[in-house]
Amino acid sequence: MGQRLNRCLDVPVALPPLRRRLLLLFIMLFLWLYMFYSCAGSCAGLTARGSPAPPRAAPPLPPLLPGEPSEESSLEEQRAAADAGSPISSFFNSSGTKRLPQAIIIGVKKGGTRALLEFLRVHPDVRAVGAEPHFFDRNYERGLAWYRDLMPKTLEGQITMEKTPSYFVTKEAPARIASMSKGTKLIVVVRDPVTRAISDYTQTLSKKPDIPTFESLTFKNRTTGLIDTSWSAIQIGIYAKHLENWLLYFPIGQILFVSGERLISDPAGELGRVQDFLGLKRIVTDKHFYFNKTKGFPCLKKAEGSSKPHCLGKTKGRTHPDIDQEVVQRLRDFYRPFNMKFYQMTGQDFGWD
């Protein structure tokens, strides 16, 4: 009896070396996981400089479906779009950090910016805001903390992006972006300025059917043939003039010019250039696209976070109204010298003439 009691009170025998190592490994793994997920919750709330980010008024909304969000999207919609991600990044949704964008699609309106963004979001190393933040033109007074809070969480090695086409024609935008970071990579999607102007008009016409004709808006005086450059549909297409403003703050090598026409005819080729420019592996290739004959432009075989084919929304591919060919020719003559200058500035011939 005494011997049994002594055995019960004895200190437990040391574990064999193999079991001891396994136990130690299990404890270390448990501690690592605990620290990882604890840091994910606290670190993500810090700004790039280590100061706490503003508290959220409400938890994030469900991700937006791929498509064409309104340019006047609410802050909640923008935050929801920011939290939308690929399956891998969604799995790690509790981890990552909100960062200011390293790359921005700055223009141009009706050039193909939405298509480019949707195509890029297929890449696992690209996280982008779905809606247009309009920070550097309409919301700049809200501050960088507000802007950063719109961004999606990213893991190490991922790129944060946004697109707002009106930046390209906003006089203050270059200085403001340079103030945020002189290293920001800029992407401009350009398109034949005459076709772009007609597409711009078509979009407005769909919302305001009672607006004047394209022909009457084009000229200050049709008899004299003087083009009305104050009309935004015309003014946006003077690309060389707007680019001069950007070159005051950014070197030409930091701006990538994407052809809106080639984005339709050869999406994989243009996406290859964009991925190279962003320093990404060429993952988005021709295997990701198919051409939709009904819409007249390429669509994704599988959209981000989905196993189903995806085309841009019904607002894309609208039928343009018939425009007087004399007016079209006058516009081509008007844009020609600006196009030539733009070709020289960018070192690219876009073949619009």
Side-chain angles (χ1 to χ4, degrees):
M1 180 68 180
Q3 291 178 350
R4 290 180 184 177
L5 181 61
N6 287 338
R7 279 200 296 268
C8 291
L9 295 176
D10 280 345
V11 177
V13 179
L15 292 173
L18 179 59
R19 289 189 181 182
R20 191 164 59 243
R21 290 175 186 173
L22 289 174
L23 179 61
L24 181 60
L25 181 62
F26 176 82
I27 294 173
M28 291 176 63
L29 179 61
F30 176 82
L31 290 174
W32 183 86
L33 288 172
Y34 176 80
M35 293 174 63
F36 179 86
Y37 285 105
S38 297
C39 183
S42 59
C43 296
L46 298 178
T47 65
R49 297 188 180 184
S51 59
R56 293 188 179 187
L61 298 175
L64 291 178
L65 293 175
E68 176 69 12
S70 166
E71 288 189 350
E72 303 298 333
S73 299
S74 67
L75 175 57
E76 288 73 19
E77 289 173 321
Q78 293 180 39
R79 280 176 173 160
D83 289 329
S86 65
I88 294 176
S89 55
S90 295
F91 179 77
F92 290 105
N93 194 42
S94 62
S95 65
T97 304
K98 291 196 173 192
R99 298 179 175 90
L100 293 169
Q102 296 94 46
I104 303 176
I105 301 174
I106 59 173
V108 300
K109 180 183 179 184
K110 308 309 296 180
T113 59
R114 171 56 54 182
L116 178 60
L117 185 68
E118 292 298 326
F119 296 164
L120 273 175
R121 291 175 79 180
V122 174
H123 200 293
D125 289 334
V126 172
R127 297 297 314 282
V129 182
E132 297 172 5
H134 284 280
F135 175 66
F136 294 104
D137 56 352
R138 301 179 190 171
N139 295 303
Y140 193 64
E141 73 285 351
R142 293 176 180 259
L144 285 174
W146 177 88
Y147 183 48
R148 179 174 45 239
D149 196 41
L150 299 180
M151 299 299 128
K153 291 180 180 179
T154 53
L155 301 173
E156 190 67 30
Q158 291 183 318
I159 292 177
T160 303
M161 292 187 67
E162 71 114 319
K163 77 105 177 171
T164 303
S166 54
Y167 290 163
F168 189 64
V169 298
T170 300
K171 186 177 181 181
E172 299 82 9
R176 289 172 174 176
I177 294 177
S179 177
M180 176 187 72
S181 172
K182 292 184 180 295
T184 306
K185 293 185 177 182
L186 308 173
I187 301 175
V188 185
V189 188
V190 288
R191 182 184 184 187
D192 181 331
V194 177
T195 308
R196 197 222 65 82
I198 296 173
S199 179
D200 198 336
Y201 173 80
T202 303
Q203 182 182 56
T204 305
L205 185 65
S206 69
K207 299 175 182 177
K208 302 176 181 179
D210 57 343
I211 62 172
T213 65
F214 180 88
E215 290 84 351
S216 63
L217 291 170
T218 298
F219 300 100
K220 286 184 177 180
N221 186 319
R222 188 165 182 178
T223 304
T224 61
L226 185 63
I227 303 294
D228 187 358
T229 57
S230 65
W231 184 29
S232 63
I234 300 296
Q235 196 255 353
I236 290 173
I238 309 175
Y239 303 139
K241 175 184 175 183
H242 304 302
L243 181 56
E244 286 178 343
N245 188 32
W246 286 89
L247 294 181
L248 296 175
Y249 300 89
F250 294 93
I252 193 70
Q254 207 165 311
I255 309 174
L256 180 69
F257 300 91
V258 175
S259 166
E261 287 82 10
R262 288 196 294 271
L263 197 57
I264 294 174
S265 64
D266 181 20
E270 286 301 279
L271 262 292
R273 294 179 59 241
V274 176
Q275 290 170 96
D276 291 346
F277 175 71
L278 295 175
L280 298 170
K281 183 179 179 181
R282 286 198 177 195
I283 291 179
V284 184
T285 61
D286 53 3
K287 69 181 180 182
H288 289 87
F289 301 99
Y290 74 95
F291 191 81
N292 186 304
K293 293 182 180 179
T294 303
K295 285 184 169 291
F297 50 72
C299 301
L300 290 167
K301 291 180 180 178
K302 292 182 180 180
E304 177 202 24
S306 172
S307 60
K308 298 180 180 179
H310 170 64
C311 286
L312 297 183
K314 62 182 180 180
T315 60
K316 302 302 179 183
R318 295 188 184 96
T319 302
H320 291 179
D322 291 329
I323 306 297
D324 187 330
Q325 287 305 301
E326 180 187 351
V327 174
V328 172
Q329 188 56 51
R330 287 196 181 188
L331 272 178
R332 294 206 176 282
D333 294 340
F334 165 78
Y335 278 121
R336 186 169 293 109
F338 296 109
N339 290 344
M340 294 299 106
K341 184 176 181 180
F342 185 66
Y343 296 171
Q344 292 175 345
M345 295 171 77
T346 61
Q348 293 179 239
D349 185 340
F350 291 91
W352 296 325
D353 295 288

